[in-house]
Amino acid sequence: MKPFLMGRSEAELTAYAGERGIPAFRARQIASWLYRHAVCDPDAMKNLPAELRTALKNDFYAPGCRGAETVASPDGVEKLLLTLYDGEHVEMVILPAEDGRVTFCLSTQVGCPVRCRFCASGRHGLVRNLKAEEMLEEFACGVARAGRPDNLVFMGIGEGLLNFDELAAALGRLTGEFGMSPRRITVSTSGYVPGMERFAALRREYNLAVSLHAADDATRAKLIPPHFRYPVQDILRAADAVRESNGRQYTLEYTLVAGINDSPEAAEELGRLAVAHRAKVNLIPYNETGSEFRRPERPVIAEFERRVAAAGARVTRRVERGGRSTAACGQLRSERVNHGGEER
Ligand code: SAH
Ligand code: SF4
């Protein structure tokens, strides 16, 4: 396997130039294309000589991933289906907000080993982890389409904390070379406690979002299979440790599923937990993805939100965006890609 050009530091590029007898200033030019312009295709690096562009394409994956398809919806949301160097696919999403701010949603794995029962990303299990460089290329694809984002969320396909080293390396480059503030980056986890502990040990001001979905373990067990599921109390303890490490209030994400976790009592219990742990709540009405689950009726969602707020918690609701067939993470890949091969 070749190295990726995206993600190489200026020092690595200088060493590469040295080995090939290329002047060192070329390494600075390449780094500038990669990190100031978020360009990973040597053919677009206009100030490089043609032979250097060819050498880069031979010696590196440059770029390693290409846009295969873009699905735009009337509210401005764009989903990019990306083909990776080995023919696998992931999605990245560009979400413009009404105030003009733009958020990118990035994937961390091809498929997902957690296999939450409601989620299209996990339906066929894990195919492979993404390399840090591939996450950076997702970012670059978004920049090419929409310019630099205001915010970045790792809420696409995959459980990033199960691919911790690559995620951490990508975060390092995003806040280093790419110059993003860690406060503008959010990592979402299904509650993988060992990964949350490592996340706390980074001691950086990244935001954490925890996909709790239920305030009690019995309800959670209806949505999340056992192999990567941790007790609610352990998850909250780990999330508290993240807050103590970086001073950032975390978010409890709660995918609302009809008849499973949408009762008035569940709302009150969630509100109580959020207050006790000083967490925000983000309600995500379920996007139906061909699973056995259904989205609650509108009044049920409104009443749930009201009760969480009445318990004293700060609560927001994710507005439905991105059009019906592509609203949920993993749905586009799942619809477009023929999942032959082994399931894990
Ligand atoms: N694996 C991480 C991040 C990716 S999923 C995690 O689980 O947190 C990002 C969020 O989207 C999670 O809160 C997940 O529960 C939610 N989600 C996935 N599929 C969904 C669907 N079909 N409808 C609503 N929310 C969904
Ligand atoms: Fe994986 Fe998150 Fe989907 Fe669960 S919700 S299967 S953890 S991507």
Side-chain angles (χ1 to χ4, degrees), residues 3-323:
F4 289 81
L5 185 59
M6 176 52 80
R8 299 283 63 76
S9 67
E10 197 175 315
E12 288 172 296
L13 293 168
T14 305
Y16 167 80
E19 283 162 23
R20 296 197 142 249
I22 298 162
F25 77 93
R26 295 290 181 200
R28 282 196 298 281
Q29 287 179 318
I30 298 167
S32 165
W33 281 111
L34 293 174
Y35 303 116
R36 284 172 65 104
H37 305 285
V39 162
C40 27
D41 184 353
D43 283 333
M45 301 182 179
K46 298 293 182 205
N47 55 0
L48 301 186
E51 61 203 46
L52 176 53
R53 284 188 245 154
T54 304
L56 291 175
K57 283 189 286 184
N58 288 334
D59 296 339
F60 297 94
Y61 289 116
C65 88
R66 292 172 195 278
E69 188 181 347
T70 306
V71 179
S73 59
D75 55 10
V77 173
E78 287 192 310
K79 260 202 181 199
L80 274 53
L81 185 71
L82 305 175
T83 308
L84 307 176
Y85 73 92
D86 58 355
E88 295 294 345
H89 293 83
V90 288
E91 300 169 17
M92 74 83 58
V93 189
I94 301 169
L95 295 140
E98 278 172 6
D99 62 6
R101 287 175 190 265
V102 174
T103 299
F104 287 178
C105 177
L106 304 186
S107 297
T108 57
Q109 297 181 309
V110 181
C112 182
V114 182
R115 308 188 76 162
C116 300
R117 297 189 222 280
F118 54 83
C119 174
S121 298
R123 189 149 302 148
H124 301 274
L126 177 70
V127 177
R128 70 168 173 86
N129 282 325
L130 288 189
K131 307 279 289 175
E133 291 93 332
E134 295 178 297
M135 299 177 211
L136 299 174
E137 287 201 346
E138 289 181 64
F139 178 84
C141 287
V143 174
R145 189 117 195 127
R148 290 237 171 197
D150 299 284
N151 298 297
L152 213 55
V153 295
F154 285 89
M155 292 187 186
I157 299 171
E159 168 56 48
L161 294 187
L162 277 167
N163 184 17
F164 187 88
D165 291 334
E166 297 298 324
L167 175 64
L171 290 169
R173 288 277 189 262
L174 288 164
T175 54
E177 277 81 352
F178 280 107
M180 277 199 77
S181 162
R183 294 168 167 240
R184 298 205 164 272
I185 301 178
T186 299
V187 172
S188 178
T189 177
S190 60
Y192 179 59
V193 168
M196 294 167 74
E197 289 166 351
R198 295 185 69 190
F199 191 73
L202 293 177
R203 305 191 79 80
R204 298 221 45 199
E205 290 180 303
Y206 304 117
N207 303 296
L208 178 70
V210 181
S211 297
L212 200 67
H213 308 320
D216 67 279
D217 292 310
T219 306
R220 240 177 150 256
K222 294 180 187 169
L223 297 169
I224 305 178
H227 43 283
F228 289 114
R229 191 181 68 237
Y230 286 77
V232 169
Q233 283 312 318
D234 293 3
I235 293 171
L236 292 172
R237 199 177 308 122
D240 287 348
V242 172
R243 187 193 54 230
E244 279 152 29
S245 79
N246 66 6
R248 306 290 289 167
Q249 192 181 31
Y250 60 87
T251 301
L252 297 174
E253 293 168 288
Y254 197 99
T255 296
L256 269 167
V257 183
I260 303 284
N261 64 358
D262 63 344
S263 70
E265 300 74 34
E268 281 155 19
E269 191 52 35
L270 174 65
R272 270 198 296 277
L273 271 187
V275 170
H277 291 268
R278 287 180 276 149
K280 299 173 273 190
V281 172
N282 187 220
L283 300 177
I284 315 172
Y286 180 54
N287 284 303
E288 296 179 12
T289 59
S291 74
E292 79 235 54
F293 298 118
R294 294 288 163 261
R295 169 191 292 230
E297 299 293 335
R298 274 169 182 275
V300 175
I301 298 171
E303 176 62 10
F304 193 94
E305 182 174 0
R306 196 192 64 72
R307 285 184 187 249
V308 176
R314 236 180 94 191
V315 55
T316 51
R317 192 197 305 183
R318 187 192 285 182
V319 275
E320 191 187 350
R321 323 253 326 249

